[in-house]
Amino acid sequence: VAHKQEEEFYVCLHSLRYYDEILFYHEGGVDVGDVDSKAEKMQLPTGTDITAEAVTQNLLSKVPAEKKANLASFIMSLYKFYKDLHFAYLE
């Protein structure tokens, strides 16, 4: 399907010693580049639950308003999958 890079998103979940971190960039794709300097980040201390409000506030500030609810739901579902299957890194 033909589309523009600004229509793609990048998400990465990884675990550190005392928290999980979610990185999100609003212009993802193969050529995302230096994610550490570009991405918005959200840290979730071990045992903390994720909420749509926190995802929207911390990660989706540069996403069009009409896409925020679906993306927040997707990221929350992806994080649940990540935790339930004991992933350490998912990109």
Side-chain angles (χ1 to χ4, degrees):
V1 175
H3 63 280
K4 299 175 185 168
Q5 183 167 343
E6 52 271 2
E7 296 173 319
E8 295 185 20
F9 301 103
Y10 171 87
V11 65
C12 172
L13 297 90
H14 66 111
S15 295
L16 296 135
R17 185 169 185 154
Y18 297 111
Y19 60 90
D20 294 330
E21 185 170 52
I22 302 173
L23 286 78
F24 178 85
Y25 188 58
H26 67 285
E27 290 184 4
V30 175
D31 299 321
V32 70
D34 183 9
V35 176
D36 286 329
S37 67
K38 293 179 179 181
E40 296 186 66
K41 300 172 184 173
M42 179 175 167
Q43 294 180 354
L44 296 153
T46 304
T48 303
D49 289 328
I50 190 170
T51 65
E53 294 79 22
V55 170
T56 301
Q57 182 179 32
N58 292 298
L59 300 176
L60 306 180
S61 66
K62 296 177 184 166
V63 172
E66 66 273 6
K67 295 184 178 184
K68 286 185 180 186
N70 283 341
L71 269 172
S73 176
F74 172 77
I75 291 170
M76 288 175 51
S77 296
L78 187 64
Y79 184 65
K80 181 180 181 339
F81 171 84
Y82 175 88
K83 283 180 53 174
D84 287 351
L85 296 179
H86 307 286
F87 275 71
Y89 188 88
L90 178 64
E91 186 175 43

